Amino acid sequence: MNVEILGLIAGALTAIASMPQLIKVIKTKNVEDISWLMLVILISGLSLWVWYGFEQNELPIILSNSFAVLVNLTLLICYFIFRDKK
Amino acid sequence: MNVEILGLIAGALTAIASMPQLIKVIKTKNVEDISWLMLVILISGLSLWVWYGFEQNELPIILSNSFAVLVNLTLLICYFIFRDKK
């Protein structure tokens, strides 16, 4: 199999798996199970993966980690919006 | 910066960020917020990333995704152990 297609399928699967938490948080507006510190660590790590992808010139790495950064940044924003609305 | 070190730091950060959920599930034995289907999709995606890492011969990809497969397999096992203990 073409290795770039392999990476894109891998990225699509890990992206799909990240959506339910985001949908749940937006629907329920409940963020008490979320740790903002862990989100910040995760977003830092994912951003370094994007950087790594650019250094290695690998599209699947860049696309999947950029998507994950977006999802987790949205979760972080939701956290600060919904945190005080209890 | 050496790109392999960049990848290893990125992998360490995303690995650290995955630990609190596992620790919480083991401590509380509460798995009602976990979707086994999403875990299966995630583990499939992460396994393809490990394959991708071997195809590209990139140690940071192989190490970080193998670790994530282990963490999420443990979560899946916890899910089936704790699911009926309510």
Side-chain angles (χ1 to χ4, degrees):
Chain A
M1 195 190 324
N2 179 310
V3 72
E4 191 156 82
I5 292 173
L6 172 63
L8 291 173
I9 295 171
L13 289 175
T14 47
I16 289 168
S18 73
M19 294 313 292
Q21 193 189 2
L22 181 60
I23 292 168
K24 190 177 178 187
V25 164
I26 290 173
K27 269 189 171 168
T28 63
K29 299 185 170 46
N30 183 354
V31 292
E32 67 181 30
D33 286 339
I34 291 179
S35 157
W36 68 268
L37 179 62
M38 281 306 131
L39 277 181
V40 169
I41 293 174
L42 184 57
I43 291 165
S44 309
L46 293 167
S47 304
L48 291 186
W49 277 122
V50 176
W51 181 9
Y52 178 94
F54 277 108
E55 291 282 339
Q56 300 276 54
N57 212 2
E58 287 177 77
L59 195 61
I61 306 280
I62 296 168
L63 286 181
S64 61
N65 288 289
S66 300
F67 180 81
V69 167
L70 277 181
V71 169
N72 287 288
L73 265 182
T74 311
L75 274 175
L76 191 64
I77 293 166
C78 285
Y79 176 83
F80 287 110
I81 293 175
F82 297 146
R83 185 182 51 166
D84 305 317
K85 289 188 177 165
K86 292 210 67 179
Chain B
M1 193 189 326
N2 180 310
V3 72
E4 191 156 82
I5 292 172
L6 172 63
L8 291 172
I9 295 171
L13 289 176
T14 47
I16 289 168
S18 72
M19 294 312 294
Q21 192 189 3
L22 180 60
I23 293 168
K24 191 177 178 187
V25 164
I26 290 172
K27 269 189 173 169
T28 64
K29 300 186 171 46
N30 183 355
V31 291
E32 68 181 29
D33 287 338
I34 291 179
S35 158
W36 68 268
L37 179 62
M38 281 307 131
L39 277 181
V40 169
I41 292 174
L42 183 58
I43 291 165
S44 309
L46 293 167
S47 304
L48 290 187
W49 277 122
V50 176
W51 181 9
Y52 178 94
F54 277 107
E55 291 282 339
Q56 299 278 53
N57 211 3
E58 288 177 76
L59 195 62
I61 307 279
I62 297 168
L63 286 181
S64 61
N65 288 289
S66 299
F67 180 80
V69 167
L70 277 180
V71 168
N72 287 288
L73 265 182
T74 310
L75 275 176
L76 190 63
I77 292 166
C78 284
Y79 176 83
F80 286 109
I81 293 175
F82 298 146
R83 186 181 51 166
D84 305 318
K85 289 188 178 166
K86 293 211 67 179

